[in-house]
């Protein structure tokens, strides 16, 4: 589906073309360099395979002019140098998890696939691991599983490293170590001017902060140097419940209690309400995690008391857990994701959570008969302790304070046919905008505390104002740094993604 972001890119490209004597072709120029793999034939198996590596089939249906596969930082620099000197629309792809068209996909321009920038190099003495953006988190966990270390990463193994970290990255380990971005020690960054720099807190503090939650606005990351943490066996899996009015109410109250009285920083949950097309299946699934071989007694008692009809939680390796969670990826579907952030209500006002959930139930009823529709809403705890840890580790672009506990709401809708995307996107907009209004109204009424509520980039719909919801200080920093590193607007105007 061609969304408004694409038309903006094409307009910029058209204007630039009129101003040029000729428009350079990146695919031909990279081919002429020699040594860099270029795939241009749309019917080749590699081209088809690469385009199937998107979570959303709509993104995969876009047709790049060619696929470029740099294997080294120098090759990535060479590609960016060619792009710098022409006017082509382009995209950079890590795992293809983001479902927004043109964020990591492109139609008619070159696609830089980082698939071969896939190093995972552990330094056990320094307790660091250098990770390439072409990895998925299952690749990282597999490489590290017998080393006694892990990195803060995705809760589903299939998620790509690059976009996940640059969007902040919410992890099972976030209540221990903060956002995934908070464990980055260095970004190896190819700037829009085709120079490569090491970005650290000491070398470039403002750019370092902007990259921790700033997305792809500042260049292409060739590798991340991450803090590695000691890792043994973990306990985790999925609890599944039938959705009934009684269970819904009890689940929301259990989520509230768990988030406020966070039982253990090693524990994590992802509660998700799921409805399939026609109402054939209406359930809750609860991802549970404990960073140890078994949780202390009482940690998850409130959820066990709701009597799940299925429970896969067990002691296993971290790699086994994140790969088993890949069942959550519905292949062959068009995906759309939107988000909202809310402060946690106190026990007397837990009904605000009921209001949020009832609103979503009304919205999803409008798309119940869309073929292949699966509609989810996740209530992801963001306890104030996590905000403290993030600040202690140097902060990030979201810059959360620890005055309140928060919940990140994530709406995900998948379906079969892209022709139904306008209808699904209308429902998605109604979903997150209605949740926002419920939060604002409850705040005005005193049922929710006043709070700073930025959006979580990784779950954002392309129309949402990610940078506009940051604090004024962080929004100004993000825009200033973007102008400093990309004065010509190469990454601002010629590729998708949220931009300051």
């Amino acid at each position: 589906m061609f969304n408004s972001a694409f038309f903006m890119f094409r307009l910029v490209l058209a204007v630039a073309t009129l101003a040029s004597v000729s428009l350079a072709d990146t695919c031909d120029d990279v081919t002429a360099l020699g040594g860099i793999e270029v795939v241009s034939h749309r019917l080749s198996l590699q081209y088809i395979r690469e385009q199937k590596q998107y979570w959303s089939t709509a993104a995969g249906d876009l047709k790049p002019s060619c696929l470029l596969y740099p294997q080294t930082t120098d090759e990535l620099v060479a590609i960016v140098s060619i792009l710098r000197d022409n006017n082509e629309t382009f995209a950079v792809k890590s795992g293809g998890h983001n479902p927004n068209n043109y964020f990591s996909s492109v139609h008619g321009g070159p696609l830089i696939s980082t698939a071969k920038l896939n190093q995972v190099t552990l330094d056990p003495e320094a307790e660091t691991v250098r990770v390439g953006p072409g990895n998925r988190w299952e690749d990282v966990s597999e490489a590290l599983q017998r080393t006694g270390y892990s990195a803060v990463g995705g809760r589903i193994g299939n998620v790509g490293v690059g976009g996940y970290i640059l969007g902040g990255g919410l992890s099972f380990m976030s209540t221990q170590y903060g956002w995934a971005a908070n464990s980055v020690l260095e970004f190896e960054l190819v700037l829009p001017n085709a120079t490569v720099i090491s970005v650290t807190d000491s070398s470039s503090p403002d750019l370092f902060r902007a990259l921790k939650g700033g997305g792809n606005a500042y260049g292409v990351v060739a590798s991340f140097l991450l803090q590695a943490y000691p890792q043994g066996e973990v306990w985790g899996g999925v609890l599944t419940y039938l959705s009934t009015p009684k269970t819904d109410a009890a689940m929301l109250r259990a989520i509230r209690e768990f988030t406020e009285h966070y039982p253990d920083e090693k524990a994590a949950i992802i509660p998700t309400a799921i409805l399939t097309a026609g109402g054939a299946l209406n359930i809750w699934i609860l991802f549970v995690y404990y960073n140890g071989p078994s949780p202390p007694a009482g940690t998850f008692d409130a959820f066990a008391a709701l009597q799940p009809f299925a429970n896969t939680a067990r002691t296993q390796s971290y790699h086994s857990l994140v790969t088993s969670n890949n069942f959550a990826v519905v292949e062959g579907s068009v995906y759309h994701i939107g988000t909202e952030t809310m402060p946690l209500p106190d026990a007397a006002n837990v009904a605000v959570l009921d209001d949020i959930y009832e609103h979503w139930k009304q919205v999803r009823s409008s798309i119940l008969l869309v073929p292949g529709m699966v509609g989810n809403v996740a209530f992801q705890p963001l306890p104030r302790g996590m905000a403290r840890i993030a600040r202690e580790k140097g902060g990030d672009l979201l810059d959360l304070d620890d005055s309140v506990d928060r919940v990140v709401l994530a709406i995900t809708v998948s379906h079969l046919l892209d022709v139904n995307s306008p209808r699904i996107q209308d429902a998605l907009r109604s979903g997150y905008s209605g949740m926002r209004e419920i939060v604002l109204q409850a705040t005005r009424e005193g049922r929710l505390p006043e709070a700073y509520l930025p959006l979580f980039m990784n779950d954002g719909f392309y129309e949402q104002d990610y940078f506009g919801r940051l604090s004024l200080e962080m929004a100004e920093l993000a825009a200033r740094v973007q102008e400093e590193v990309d004065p010509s607007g190469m990454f601002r105007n010629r590729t998708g993604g949220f931009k300051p």
Side-chain angles (χ1 to χ4, degrees), residues 132-469:
N135 289 288
R136 298 175 188 270
W137 286 106
E138 60 196 4
D139 302 322
V140 178
S141 62
E142 182 177 23
L144 296 178
Q145 70 171 329
R146 284 178 288 274
T147 67
Y149 287 94
S150 68
V152 178
R155 300 168 294 189
I156 296 175
N158 188 256
V159 171
V161 165
Y164 169 89
I165 292 180
L166 293 173
L170 192 54
S171 172
F172 283 135
M173 301 179 187
S174 285
T175 46
Q176 281 186 278
Y177 307 123
W179 302 102
N182 297 135
S183 288
V184 178
L185 303 175
E186 178 208 3
F187 299 90
E188 184 187 17
L189 181 68
V190 179
L191 292 168
N193 67 5
T195 60
V196 58
I197 61 172
S198 168
V199 182
T200 67
D201 189 34
S202 58
S203 69
S204 307
D206 287 349
L207 178 56
F208 185 65
R209 184 155 196 158
L211 287 168
K212 294 189 289 182
N216 67 348
Y218 304 97
V220 186
V221 175
S223 70
F224 303 86
L225 183 66
L226 308 177
Q227 182 70 55
Y229 299 96
Q231 184 67 64
E233 289 187 317
V234 303
W235 179 92
V238 177
L239 282 62
T240 309
Y241 311 79
L242 288 175
S243 175
T244 66
K246 182 178 179 181
T247 300
D248 296 346
M251 179 65 75
L252 293 170
R253 280 148 184 79
I255 294 167
R256 200 215 72 79
E257 291 294 311
F258 189 92
T259 305
E260 180 181 5
H261 308 292
Y262 212 83
D264 192 320
E265 66 177 9
K266 295 182 179 181
I269 59 171
I270 318 175
T272 306
I274 301 174
L275 179 73
T276 61
L281 186 64
N282 195 1
I283 60 174
W284 284 86
I285 63 169
L286 178 74
F287 293 84
V288 290
Y289 171 83
Y290 189 79
N291 197 359
S294 61
T299 305
F300 298 104
D301 279 3
F303 300 104
L306 299 181
Q307 299 180 339
F309 68 79
N311 182 349
T312 67
R314 61 184 177 88
T315 302
Q316 56 190 302
S317 71
Y318 182 72
H319 174 64
S320 172
L321 176 66
V322 298
T323 53
S324 67
N325 286 345
N326 284 340
F327 80 90
V329 182
V330 182
E331 295 185 354
S333 294
V334 183
Y335 271 86
H336 309 275
I337 300 181
T339 189
E340 189 47 69
T341 309
M342 65 178 293
L344 187 75
D346 61 24
N349 291 293
V350 67
V352 177
L353 290 174
D354 297 326
D355 295 342
I356 293 284
Y357 186 56
E358 286 301 316
H359 166 69
W360 170 238
K361 286 170 64 177
Q362 291 177 16
V363 169
R364 74 187 185 187
S365 67
S366 68
I367 52 174
L368 198 60
L369 299 180
V370 172
M373 190 280 295
V374 179
N376 308 334
V377 60
F379 295 79
Q380 304 176 97
L382 219 65
R384 65 186 73 199
M386 178 181 158
R388 282 195 292 270
I389 291 169
R391 287 195 167 189
E392 289 167 1
K393 293 172 80 69
D396 48 71
L397 207 55
L398 276 78
D399 195 31
L400 293 176
D401 62 83
D402 64 355
S403 63
V404 298
D405 300 303
R406 297 171 176 86
V407 176
V408 171
L409 303 163
I411 302 171
T412 305
V413 185
S414 60
H415 58 105
L416 292 179
L417 303 174
D418 198 25
V419 68
N420 291 311
S421 286
R423 182 176 174 187
I424 294 293
Q425 290 182 346
D426 283 346
L428 189 72
R429 293 182 189 98
S430 296
Y432 65 71
S433 62
M435 291 173 180
R436 174 68 168 166
E437 183 51 41
I438 290 169
V439 169
L440 294 176
Q441 182 63 28
T443 303
R444 289 191 290 267
E445 295 169 353
R447 296 192 295 147
L448 287 177
E450 295 277 353
Y452 164 54
L453 300 172
L455 296 173
F456 177 41
M457 178 184 282
N458 293 138
D459 289 342
F461 187 54
Y462 75 93
E463 291 181 352
Q464 293 190 273
D465 187 11
Y466 170 78
F467 284 97
R469 292 280 294 272

Side-chain angles (χ1 to χ4, degrees), residues 94-169:
S94 174
H97 170 224
N98 194 299
N100 291 302
N101 285 353
Y102 314 106
F103 276 42
S104 62
S105 54
V106 63
H107 190 85
L111 174 69
I112 303 171
S113 170
T114 62
K116 296 189 177 182
L117 295 169
N118 59 353
Q119 70 182 112
V120 182
T121 307
L122 176 69
D123 182 341
E125 292 187 6
E127 295 192 315
T128 61
V129 57
R130 186 167 292 279
V131 177
N135 289 288
R136 298 175 188 270
W137 286 106
E138 60 196 4
D139 302 322
V140 178
S141 62
E142 182 177 23
L144 296 178
Q145 70 171 329
R146 284 178 288 274
T147 67
Y149 287 94
S150 68
V152 178
R155 300 168 294 189
I156 296 175
N158 188 256
V159 171
V161 165
Y164 169 89
I165 292 180
L166 293 173

